[in-house]
């Protein structure tokens, strides 16, 4: 829709601007190292959206959502699946393990016309998973600590133009030949890593994938463009977090996709002008799984307490997460990078019972104080500001009812990261959420 706006410029002339006033897609993005609690927020917000879209990552992501005492483990399917009215889309930027997706789909009864998969999304096949695990072993003490799900090799093949788009399931003869050719060409590398793929069973597997998935595969970019034109409300759901972004994260200790808001355009086919409100999801403290720099990591009692109170164990791999304090330098950087309009502060209640709570407000690098994120993040020493703790924020649903020290903590965080906190979560329960 076009709308005409008249206003005066500084010379007093009247100018007429024609502005497009059309539907935009809102976006949810992880601000730290993933596991910020995006699942709860997407589940909460999905109630108000017609379409929910995943735009990057694969089944390395994961969260559990409990509804009416039934647990759902989601890795690839957007959280909107739990809203019976929402359409769910796995965008072209996602890498899909057909085996993992089929298993996940089995949790739901009828997904027809509720789930669509981009025909341009790339598949994670058996050799990608074996390559991921073998390469991690070779890296030894420099291992990235990947989830071992084949994410890196699948994205590498995509960028190297050797990948397999899921839309190719429409033509099994061609796809089977291409996979066999690929395995032949890469035999020296695969053999050197003791990877042996049984080619005689490929056809059967592909037939199974086709039978289970073909009816869901469409051109999702075209679908989304039409949906926007029709005024449908769209929510884009990011996976992992900003600090794991392939370009802007703590390289090489990152995942292999563009986890930031800009990745939503690449991973869906929407353009930057299609993006509406961007909400960053951030925990009231910080965690990281896998290796790589983490300036505010706590190795002592406080780290252990955060892990226990926050139940910080990976949903996908079960690994204990590394825990530490809120890093305001990293969050401010991530907020700027993503263009966050606001933040959702998750797991505030996990800080209940701490006498003192620390927040990193700057770094010391080579003896100098800095307030930005350097490439040599492993060399920085955090500069902390201490806040008095509080006892009970768990389950609070109204900002005014939060302990005074918790309110103060939130207000100070907003100043430090220069972004408004508009939502606070005080327990995993959907209802225990404060909107301000
Ligand atoms: P990959 O994505 O499996 O290649 O793993 C690369 C890095 O990203 C590792 O440090 C993983 O632990 C981390 N990672 C991948 N997915 C997630 C996630 O969903 N949450 C948190 N960390 C993740």
């Amino acid at each position: 829709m076009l709308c005409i706006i008249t206003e005066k410029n500084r010379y007093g002339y009247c100018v007429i601007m024609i502005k497009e006033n059309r539907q935009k897609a809102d976006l949810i993005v992880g601000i730290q190292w993933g596991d910020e609690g995006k699942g709860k927020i997407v589940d909460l917000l999905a109630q108000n959206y017609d379409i929910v879209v995943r735009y990057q990552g694969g089944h390395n992501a994961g969260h559990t959502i409990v509804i009416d005492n039934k647990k759902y483990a989601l890795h690839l399917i957007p959280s909107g699946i739990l809203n019976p009215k929402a359409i769910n889309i796995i965008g072209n930027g996602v890498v899909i393990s057909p085996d993992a997706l089929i298993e996940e789909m089995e949790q739901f009864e009828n997904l027809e016309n509720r789930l669509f998969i981009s025909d341009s999304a790339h598949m994670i096949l058996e050799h990608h998973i074996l390559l991921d695990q073998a390469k991690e072993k070779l890296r030894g003490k420099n291992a990235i600590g990947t989830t071992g799900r084949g994410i890196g090799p699948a994205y590498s093949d995509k960028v190297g133009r050797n990948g397999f788009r899921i839309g190719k399931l429409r033509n099994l003869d061609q796809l089977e030949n291409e996979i066999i050719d690929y395995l032949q060409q890469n035999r020296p590398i695969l053999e050197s890593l003791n990877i042996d793929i049984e080619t005689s069973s490929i056809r059967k597997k592909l037939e199974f994938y086709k039978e289970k998935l073909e009816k869901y595969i469409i051109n999702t970019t075209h679908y989304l463009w039409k949906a926007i034109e029709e005024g449908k409300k769209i929510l884009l759901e990011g996976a992992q977090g900003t600090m794991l972004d392939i370009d802007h994260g703590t390289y090489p200790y990152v995942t292999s996709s563009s986890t930031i808001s800009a990745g939503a355009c690449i991973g869906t086919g929407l353009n930057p002008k299609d993006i509406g409100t961007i909400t960053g999801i951030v925990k009231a403290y910080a965690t990281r799984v896998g290796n790589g720099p983490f300036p505010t990591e706590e190795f002592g009692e406080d780290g252990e307490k955060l892990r226990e109170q926050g139940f910080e164990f990976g949903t996908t791999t079960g690994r204990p997460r590394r825990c530490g304090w809120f890093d305001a330098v990293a969050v401010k950087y991530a907020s700027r990078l993503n263009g966050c309009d606001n933040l959702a502060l998750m797991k505030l209640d996990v800080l209940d019972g701490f006498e003192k709570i620390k927040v990193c407000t700057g770094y010391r690098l080579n003896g100098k104080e800095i307030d930005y994120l350097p490439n040599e993040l492993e060399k920085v020493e955090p500069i902390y500001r201490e806040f008095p703790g509080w006892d009970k924020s768990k389950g609070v649903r109204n900002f005014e009812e939060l302990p005074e020290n918790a309110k103060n903590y939130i207000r100070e965080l907003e100043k430090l990261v220069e972004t408004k906190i508009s939502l606070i979560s005080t327990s995993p329960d959907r209802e225990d959420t404060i909107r301000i």
Side-chain angles (χ1 to χ4, degrees), residues 33-36 38 57-63 132 136 144-153 155 239-241 244 252-257 287-292 314-317 319 321-322:
W33 280 275
D35 308 314
E36 297 94 350
K38 292 182 286 294
H59 64 312
N60 48 349
H63 46 255
D132 189 5
E136 276 287 89
I144 289 160
T146 72
T147 58
R149 301 293 197 263
I151 307 294
Y155 276 118
Q240 289 87 42
L244 291 173
Y253 298 98
V254 291
T255 190
S256 297
S257 62
T287 64
R288 171 163 206 169
V289 223
N291 300 330
T315 329
T316 299
T317 59
R319 292 180 288 179
R321 296 182 184 137
R322 299 157 66 191

Side-chain angles (χ1 to χ4, degrees), residues 108-351:
F108 303 96
E109 259 157 35
N110 187 7
L111 290 175
E112 226 172 325
N113 296 321
R114 292 198 55 216
L115 176 70
F116 293 110
I117 303 165
S118 164
D119 53 6
S120 302
H122 279 243
M123 284 190 281
I124 299 181
L125 297 176
E126 189 187 354
H127 61 274
H128 292 128
I129 297 171
L130 296 173
L131 273 170
D132 189 5
Q133 293 168 1
K135 285 186 173 178
E136 276 287 89
K137 248 191 219 149
L138 280 181
R139 286 190 191 106
K141 66 174 178 35
N142 295 322
I144 289 160
T146 72
T147 58
R149 301 293 197 263
I151 307 294
Y155 276 118
S156 301
D157 274 350
K158 171 178 166 171
V159 176
R161 294 154 295 178
N162 295 310
F164 305 101
R165 285 177 158 187
I166 203 160
K168 288 236 162 142
L169 287 174
R170 292 177 185 137
N171 183 347
L172 285 194
D173 287 341
Q174 193 190 346
L175 178 59
E176 184 189 12
N177 285 337
E178 282 179 11
I179 295 176
I180 290 173
D181 278 353
Y182 169 100
L183 293 172
Q184 211 93 50
Q185 284 161 22
N186 288 278
R187 194 190 301 182
I189 300 168
L190 295 171
E191 273 181 4
S192 73
L193 294 167
N194 287 324
I195 296 174
D196 182 20
I197 305 287
E198 183 55 71
T199 49
S200 60
S201 58
I202 288 177
R203 179 71 185 211
K204 218 170 148 213
K205 268 194 198 158
L206 295 178
E207 279 167 3
F208 174 65
Y209 298 161
K210 182 181 171 83
E211 181 206 325
K212 294 284 181 188
L213 301 176
E214 193 180 13
K215 62 178 171 224
Y216 301 98
I217 299 173
I218 62 164
N219 179 330
T220 53
T221 300
H222 182 65
Y223 184 95
L224 287 170
W225 287 357
K226 268 186 77 183
I228 284 234
E229 270 167 32
E230 287 164 8
K232 293 265 171 21
K233 290 194 76 188
I234 301 173
L235 183 65
L236 308 170
E237 173 185 3
Q240 289 87 42
T242 300
M243 305 302 284
L244 291 173
D245 182 87
I246 184 74
D247 285 281
H248 302 283
T250 53
Y251 191 90
Y253 298 98
V254 291
T255 190
S256 297
S257 62
S258 298
T259 60
I260 61 170
S261 55
C265 292
I266 295 161
T268 59
L270 294 175
N271 71 48
K273 291 180 193 150
D274 290 321
I275 308 296
T277 303
I278 301 177
T279 302
I281 315 296
V282 65
K283 260 195 281 221
Y285 51 99
T287 64
R288 171 163 206 169
V289 223
N291 300 330
F294 181 15
T296 61
E297 183 166 12
E298 273 294 309
F299 297 96
E301 254 175 50
D302 282 343
E304 194 53 47
K305 193 167 163 184
L306 286 170
R307 188 172 308 109
E308 265 172 38
Q309 295 194 175
F311 197 70
E312 295 295 354
F313 298 89
T315 329
T316 299
T317 59
R319 292 180 288 179
R321 296 182 184 137
R322 299 157 66 191
C323 295
W325 300 114
F326 189 95
D327 185 339
V329 186
V331 173
K332 185 173 148 187
Y333 161 81
S335 179
R336 172 70 177 84
L337 203 52
N338 287 292
C340 289
D341 295 294
N342 53 60
L343 295 175
L345 187 73
M346 309 305 290
K347 295 182 113 173
L348 181 72
D349 54 298
V350 172
L351 296 177

